[in-house]
Amino acid sequence: MNDTGREPLRIGVLGAARITELSLVGPARTTGHRLVAVAARDRSRAAAFADEHDVERVADSYADLLADPEVEVVYNPLANGLHGPWNLAALAAGKHVLSEKPSASNAEEAAEVRDAAVKSGSVFMEAFHYLFHPVTRRLHEIVESGELGELRRVETLVAIPAPGDLDPRWSLSLAGGALMDLGCYSLHAVRMLAPWAGGAPRLVSARAGQRPGAPGVDEWLDADLEFPGGATASARCHMAYDDLEMSCRVIGSRGEALAPNFVLPHLDDRLVVRTPDGERTERLGTRSSYTYQLEALAAHIRRDGPLPLDADDALATMRLIDESYRAAGFEPRPRTTLTG
């Protein structure tokens, strides 16, 4: 049993992605949830993953994992272009789904995922784990309290050094690009401030640069947005940056608050608040945001606890991604068709 005293989730993992150790294996071990099965294109790779991370068994294929009656939640950390097809397949199999972002390759496919989630009655959650960490929760509390005054400006930047040239994040056919991999966080963090800004933001303009040697794939993208209440925002991303930076700055009429690393707060849990009364730094804890995320998902499935992320939210973000691509002179990502 996990620490809530409820039945553990029974989770199946698609693929043997590196991110899974941080995003799921550690949190499941901490909270007592079961990793029932794993499948990968290469069965030997899945077997090695299972041995290393105490997964109970290896499925022969993704389809076999979805057909396993003991698997109730499917975690999908596959390449971006495989999120949509396998999210749809998992929902059709009656499974709950925790999908790495983005939920699909484009808004049309994200709408299909949303419709499939509604039809199935299953829980669908896009893994914007940062939203559950005390850093972001406290940032929202401060904005709501009025300490910063009226919301005027939001600035987000999510940037990393460049992955290798053969990394699937540079593949157009697998729905790669800086906006898909990183900028989705930038846009989502802006969207989540809508309750204090008069409603959802609209895109004003966007600029982007193409990755050399990867036609149609963005190396960086900057989006400008505006809220109905008049506040403005910039959502920036860069996948060939000098350093890692994942910051969110909220500026009001009386002050500002900065989360230096809102995406990975276990690396930097500071929230710096500056007002006419002075400057203070709050430290909110380095417990993994992925652990908070898994706890929230389990609480929702087992006890109908609140869950701020669903398929409608994923669709709203995907629409903004597509709009940003078009405004910057790029096409939305093509869907990936499963073969075999």
Side-chain angles (χ1 to χ4, degrees):
M1 302 291 271
N2 60 26
D3 58 7
T4 67
R6 305 279 176 166
E7 179 189 355
L9 297 180
R10 304 184 306 277
I11 306 170
V13 181
L14 297 178
R18 290 190 301 268
I19 185 63
T20 306
E21 182 173 1
L22 175 66
S23 61
L24 182 65
V25 173
R29 186 176 295 125
T30 298
T31 54
H33 297 291
R34 292 172 57 193
L35 301 182
V36 172
V38 60
R41 288 175 299 172
D42 181 343
R43 196 182 192 283
S44 64
R45 190 162 176 246
F49 183 93
D51 288 342
E52 182 178 359
H53 299 302
D54 298 322
V55 181
E56 295 175 21
R57 58 180 173 272
V58 176
D60 288 333
S61 67
Y62 297 158
D64 286 340
L65 185 141
L66 298 187
D68 187 331
E70 195 169 12
V71 172
E72 61 174 335
V73 180
V74 172
Y75 174 58
N76 183 354
L78 300 171
N80 290 342
L82 299 177
H83 290 172
W86 286 109
N87 288 341
L88 289 167
L91 290 167
K95 309 300 185 183
H96 302 304
V97 177
L98 174 62
S99 173
E100 279 304 326
K101 43 69 199 164
S103 66
S105 294
N106 53 51
E108 180 183 25
E109 189 175 44
E112 292 179 21
V113 171
R114 188 271 313 276
D115 293 345
V118 171
K119 180 179 179 181
S120 70
S122 298
V123 174
F124 179 88
M125 177 176 163
E126 195 174 27
F128 280 114
H129 52 95
Y130 81 93
L131 193 62
F132 300 96
H133 195 276
V135 164
T136 294
R137 294 177 65 182
R138 177 62 177 147
L139 176 62
H140 290 176
E141 286 176 1
I142 290 171
V143 174
E144 185 173 26
S145 75
E147 181 181 1
L148 304 181
E150 182 182 348
L151 184 64
R152 295 281 178 81
R153 176 81 175 160
V154 183
E155 298 173 351
T156 57
L157 170 61
V158 182
I160 62 171
D165 288 342
L166 299 180
D167 192 287
R169 285 172 286 183
W170 295 126
S171 168
L172 181 62
S173 63
L174 287 174
L179 182 59
M180 295 290 283
D181 196 63
L182 306 173
C184 55
Y185 283 108
S186 303
L187 290 173
H188 195 267
V190 170
R191 284 190 56 244
M192 290 300 99
L193 290 164
W196 307 285
R202 69 173 185 89
L203 183 71
V204 175
S205 63
R207 301 157 302 284
Q210 182 170 276
R211 174 69 173 174
V217 178
D218 51 310
E219 183 175 271
W220 62 270
L221 187 144
D222 296 345
D224 299 315
L225 304 102
E226 185 176 33
F227 291 97
T232 61
S234 67
R236 301 170 56 210
C237 60
H238 203 305
M239 207 155 66
Y241 206 60
D242 293 337
D243 202 354
L244 184 147
E245 184 172 346
M246 299 180 170
S247 60
C248 178
R249 183 187 304 272
V250 178
I251 303 167
S253 57
R254 288 196 68 255
E256 65 177 61
L258 169 68
N261 193 336
F262 77 99
V263 177
L264 299 174
H266 65 279
L267 300 179
D268 188 342
D269 66 336
R270 290 176 298 152
L271 188 60
V272 182
V273 182
R274 300 182 181 94
T275 70
D277 297 327
E279 177 179 317
R280 71 178 186 276
T281 298
E282 299 184 14
R283 290 195 172 272
L284 284 305
T286 56
R287 187 173 188 257
S288 170
S289 51
Y290 294 103
T291 301
Y292 286 105
Q293 172 179 258
L294 185 57
E295 287 177 332
L297 178 62
H300 182 69
I301 291 174
R302 292 287 181 253
R303 307 193 304 278
D304 200 28
L307 197 67
L309 300 174
D310 59 16
D312 283 315
D313 182 77
L315 175 56
T317 299
M318 201 70 239
R319 284 173 172 159
L320 202 50
I321 288 172
D322 282 5
E323 289 176 21
S324 298
Y325 271 133
R326 291 189 180 102
F330 284 73
E331 289 298 318
R333 307 297 83 173
R335 1 183 7 145
T336 299
T337 302
L338 298 181
T339 59

